């Protein structure tokens, strides 16, 4: 929202959408963290004072909506607000998403149609494929096929790049930036933390 004229956020979880809307409306985020066992500590952050996100940026965030990323059916409220159809976005960001979807290929097949020509698709994922989130046969990478190891970063290129070798993909992108590793930490308690490293890839639509 610091540089875009209009921003929409989405998640499959209605609870996350509701929480994000609350932060947008009030400019304040409140949450609890585990200290140890059953002990918790309440936290509070102000968008303006703590993060430098002022009223102008908040106004550019139009709304947060519930969307199934495997279908990408835009709700009528978004189409009415933007006065556009699919293919209207300059940038779509999928953060730690593709390895949490029940059908990641469906997402990749549809997401190109949401972007304008020259629009950017930014993906970030640690590629931790898990069968309780994605059926193993739907994994894009992280598995062997006919004795050959399939890595997710290579599979994405085959699916997305114009010269890609996987005809199931949209194959209408070029790689706009080299891949970059991005580390992040999730706190579990005041003495326990989960450190994860995602790979960020950036793709530009060419047609």
């Amino acid at each position: 929202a610091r540089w875009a004229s209009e921003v929409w956020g989405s998640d499959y979880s209605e609870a996350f959408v509701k929480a994000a809307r609350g932060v947008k409306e009030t400019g304040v985020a409140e949450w609890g963290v585990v200290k140890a066992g059953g002990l918790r500590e309440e936290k509070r952050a102000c968008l303006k004072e703590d993060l430098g996100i002022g009223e102008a940026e908040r106004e550019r965030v139009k709304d947060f909506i519930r969307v199934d990323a495997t279908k990408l059916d835009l709700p009528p409220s978004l189409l009415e607000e933007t006065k556009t159809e699919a293919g209207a976005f300059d940038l779509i960001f999928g953060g730690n998403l593709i390895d949490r979807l029940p059908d990641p290929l469906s997402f990749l097949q549809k997401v190109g149609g949401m972007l304008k020509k020259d629009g950017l698709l930014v993906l970030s994922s640690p590629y931790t494929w898990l069968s309780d989130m994605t059926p193993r046969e739907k994994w894009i990478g992280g598995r062997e096929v006919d004795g050959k190891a399939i890595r997710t970063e290579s599979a994405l290129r085959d699916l997305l790049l114009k010269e890609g070798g996987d005809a199931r993909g949209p194959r209408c992108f070029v790689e706009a930036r080299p891949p970059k590793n991005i580390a992040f930490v999730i706190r579990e308690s005041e003495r326990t933390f989960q450190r994860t490293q995602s790979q960020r890839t950036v793709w530009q639509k060419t047609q």
Side-chain angles (χ1 to χ4, degrees), residues 105-132:
L105 178 60
S106 178
F107 166 75
L108 294 173
Q109 290 170 333
K110 293 178 173 65
V111 72
M114 311 295 291
L115 286 164
K116 295 178 182 177
K117 183 179 182 297
D118 297 325
L120 295 175
L121 171 64
V122 181
L123 300 175
S124 176
S125 173
Y127 307 144
T128 51
W129 299 100
L130 299 170
S131 57
D132 57 345

Side-chain angles (χ1 to χ4, degrees), residues 9-178:
S10 69
D11 198 276
Y12 187 72
S13 166
E14 191 66 49
F16 285 0
V17 169
K18 183 179 179 180
R21 283 176 171 167
V23 174
K24 167 182 161 52
E25 291 169 4
T26 64
V28 175
E30 296 179 326
W31 69 100
V33 296
V34 174
K35 291 177 68 67
L39 301 178
R40 293 177 62 83
E41 178 181 6
E42 298 305 313
K43 296 286 188 178
R44 187 176 191 271
C46 295
L47 295 185
K48 185 174 183 179
E49 288 79 3
D50 297 316
L51 299 175
I53 299 175
E55 188 67 29
E57 288 89 348
R58 283 168 54 197
E59 288 181 358
R60 288 198 287 271
V61 178
K62 296 303 181 182
D63 199 2
F64 293 90
I65 53 178
R66 184 180 183 275
V67 173
D68 182 344
T70 63
K71 297 177 180 177
L72 289 181
D73 294 329
L74 296 182
S77 59
L78 189 150
L79 296 177
E80 175 68 21
E81 177 73 19
T82 59
K83 305 292 190 236
T84 62
E85 298 179 354
F89 294 95
D90 297 295
L91 184 148
I92 294 175
F93 173 63
N96 299 324
L97 176 69
I98 61 170
D99 60 347
R100 295 295 183 265
L101 295 175
D103 190 353
L105 178 60
S106 178
F107 166 75
L108 294 173
Q109 290 170 333
K110 293 178 173 65
V111 72
M114 311 295 291
L115 286 164
K116 295 178 182 177
K117 183 179 182 297
D118 297 325
L120 295 175
L121 171 64
V122 181
L123 300 175
S124 176
S125 173
Y127 307 144
T128 51
W129 299 100
L130 299 170
S131 57
D132 57 345
M133 293 188 177
T134 311
R136 191 176 182 88
E137 65 272 15
K138 299 284 188 179
W139 294 5
I140 291 175
R143 62 191 180 109
E144 287 191 358
V145 177
D146 298 329
K148 179 182 177 182
I150 306 298
R151 297 185 63 84
T152 306
E153 51 268 42
S154 298
L156 284 173
R157 291 189 178 95
D158 282 343
L159 288 163
L160 296 176
L161 292 179
K162 287 195 302 180
E163 65 273 18
D166 193 333
R168 299 174 303 163
R171 296 192 296 182
C172 61
F173 291 90
V174 295
E175 203 163 2
R177 297 284 189 280

